[in-house]
Amino acid sequence: MLSQPHVSLSRRKFLAASAAAGAVVGLAAGPARAAGTRPRPFGRYGSPAARPDPKTLYVHPGGAGDFTTVRDAVAAAAGSGHTLVIAPGVYRQTVAVDPARTEMTWIGASEDPRDVVIVYDNAAGTPKPGGGTYGTTGSATATVQADGFTARWITFANDWLRADHPDITGTQAVALKVQGDRSAFHHCRFLGHQDTLYADSMALGTFARQYFAHCYAEGDVDFVFGRATAVFEQCRFRTLNRTDLSAAPYGFVFAPSTAGANPLGYLVTRSRVDSEAPDGYYKLARPWVPSSDTTARPMLTVRDTWLGPGVDAVAPYTNMSNAYPWQSMRFAEYRNTGPGAAVSVPENRPQLTSEQARSATRAGYLGDWEPWKEAC
């Protein structure tokens, strides 16, 4: 059965309308506050008048915090160890955490990622004010280069749409580019279309460990990509419908670009891949071998994960370039379930052995760093 047609709406209008209605990203607002009670925009995380320590900063779009924008709060958080408590709102801006701002934490104060949205609309081909275009990296709504970054209950979005800009051919539009080591995201959402979540590292010879738990990512083309060592645990990946294409494939969920010297790339475990698109219209992955690193050997392991009918079960992998066939890369699966996991052509579905699967775990990938033990 084919999925229902998807109405292509501008994500920008979608977010704005949701915020105006008291909810974010189209989901219902919470229960009305009882008459006479005072709002607590920072939830259980204090306030400027009840600050737990000097390195905790408060962001509120209406002025109830230390800053009205996330960007200004980051600029003020020089050095290491700052916490940003972010009140509900749609923050339309780009934000960058440079390498010097280590051990930073962002907390969505309501503890619901639908309520705190950081969004912008640059694409790779968007003209820059001073000339040229932004490129894929420059299109990112949020860029995190510092080590030890943690985010909880935040939505990172890029609401640029192809249909709004038919003259632009560089359609990559990143919601988040993360490059630091020990970068953790708990209960976060990543919304976009092409190149939504860029899980990368600072340099070719630098290995960066990243952890995504209970997160949601959506998109169409290569919407989780990069060369990080990244673990995705209990996450949901959703492929979007496309009205601009008449035939499969509509896109690709993963496009790792793991360096050849790095023994560990992407691990997806206990997760779910579902779709708005017709059955079989998406590939699970294709390898990205960048022109800047032709020795890359992309690595992806998907295990104990439900793959919905949107995934092409017969041929879930394909080439990005025929010069670098996916069969020569490091793609594997283990104990996946669902209609998209059915093995009908075994050579198209490489599987781990039981012995290999013993090391394909979050601990095996992340070593002495144990972000799943961090208190939320």
Side-chain angles (χ1 to χ4, degrees), residues 132-147:
T133 57
Y134 283 98
T136 299
T137 291
S139 74
T141 296
T143 303
V144 177
Q145 297 180 319
D147 292 344

Side-chain angles (χ1 to χ4, degrees), residues 27-120:
L27 298 180
R33 188 164 26 91
T37 62
R38 298 180 63 187
R40 297 181 61 198
F42 303 111
R44 62 187 174 99
Y45 296 99
S47 68
R51 197 184 309 272
D53 60 73
K55 289 193 172 184
T56 298
L57 305 176
Y58 294 89
V59 184
H60 186 282
D66 301 306
F67 304 93
T68 58
T69 72
V70 178
R71 179 193 291 166
D72 287 347
V74 170
S80 182
H82 284 82
T83 296
L84 271 55
V85 180
I86 308 173
V90 175
Y91 298 87
R92 177 161 287 280
Q93 59 198 250
T94 58
V95 186
V97 180
D98 65 51
R101 288 170 165 78
T102 57
E103 313 303 327
M104 180 178 281
T105 298
W106 294 4
I107 297 174
S110 71
E111 301 185 19
D112 185 335
R114 298 170 298 180
D115 293 339
V116 176
V117 179
I118 302 170
V119 58
Y120 209 69

Side-chain angles (χ1 to χ4, degrees), residues 253 273 275 278-284 307-314 316 339-341 349:
V253 182
V273 179
S275 183
D279 292 356
Y281 268 49
Y282 272 87
K283 302 292 186 180
L284 186 60
L307 304 179
V311 173
D312 179 356
V314 174
R349 311 291 305 244

Side-chain angles (χ1 to χ4, degrees), residues 286-308:
R286 62 178 182 172
W288 177 31
V289 179
S291 59
S292 58
D293 178 22
T294 56
T295 65
R297 286 196 65 221
M299 181 181 186
L300 168 70
T301 296
V302 181
R303 63 169 300 170
D304 301 296
T305 290
W306 187 86
L307 304 179

Side-chain angles (χ1 to χ4, degrees), residues 45-334:
Y45 296 99
S47 68
R51 197 184 309 272
D53 60 73
K55 289 193 172 184
T56 298
L57 305 176
Y58 294 89
V59 184
H60 186 282
D66 301 306
F67 304 93
T68 58
T69 72
V70 178
R71 179 193 291 166
D72 287 347
V74 170
S80 182
H82 284 82
T83 296
L84 271 55
V85 180
I86 308 173
V90 175
Y91 298 87
R92 177 161 287 280
Q93 59 198 250
T94 58
V95 186
V97 180
D98 65 51
R101 288 170 165 78
T102 57
E103 313 303 327
M104 180 178 281
T105 298
W106 294 4
I107 297 174
S110 71
E111 301 185 19
D112 185 335
R114 298 170 298 180
D115 293 339
V116 176
V117 179
I118 302 170
V119 58
Y120 209 69
D121 62 345
N122 282 332
T126 300
K128 295 171 67 174
T133 57
Y134 283 98
T136 299
T137 291
S139 74
T141 296
T143 303
V144 177
Q145 297 180 319
D147 292 344
F149 180 86
T150 299
R152 299 189 181 100
W153 304 296
I154 307 284
T155 291
F156 300 88
N158 190 317
D159 60 4
W160 189 92
L161 278 180
R162 300 178 187 95
D164 294 343
H165 305 276
D167 56 318
I168 292 179
T169 57
T171 57
Q172 302 87 346
V174 178
L176 172 72
K177 179 169 184 175
V178 55
Q179 297 173 276
D181 185 39
R182 294 179 294 104
S183 299
F185 298 82
H186 303 269
H187 304 280
C188 289
R189 301 195 308 159
F190 310 97
L191 309 182
H193 286 266
Q194 182 172 351
D195 291 8
T196 304
L197 174 56
Y198 197 170
D200 204 47
S201 69
M202 284 295 290
L204 177 59
T206 301
F207 300 161
R209 295 166 295 172
Q210 298 167 8
Y211 180 67
F212 301 82
H214 307 283
C215 290
Y216 171 89
E218 68 176 30
D220 47 41
V221 177
D222 305 330
F223 64 92
V224 181
F225 73 114
R227 66 172 170 244
T229 293
V231 174
F232 301 88
E233 183 169 38
Q234 291 185 271
C235 292
R236 179 186 175 196
F237 305 92
R238 186 160 180 81
T239 60
L240 301 177
N241 205 353
R242 298 184 63 173
T243 58
D244 59 320
L245 295 180
S246 59
Y250 278 0
F252 321 88
V253 182
F254 301 100
S257 58
T258 322
N262 189 350
L264 300 168
Y266 286 179
L267 171 66
V268 180
T269 179
R270 296 192 295 158
S271 293
R272 180 181 182 89
V273 179
D274 56 32
S275 183
E276 295 179 351
D279 292 356
Y281 268 49
Y282 272 87
K283 302 292 186 180
L284 186 60
R286 62 178 182 172
W288 177 31
V289 179
S291 59
S292 58
D293 178 22
T294 56
T295 65
R297 286 196 65 221
M299 181 181 186
L300 168 70
T301 296
V302 181
R303 63 169 300 170
D304 301 296
T305 290
W306 187 86
L307 304 179
V311 173
D312 179 356
V314 174
Y317 307 108
T318 190
N319 300 335
M320 186 175 292
S321 167
N322 290 335
Y324 305 102
W326 72 264
Q327 293 89 343
S328 65
M329 305 304 169
R330 295 175 284 178
F331 286 1
E333 301 177 53
Y334 184 70

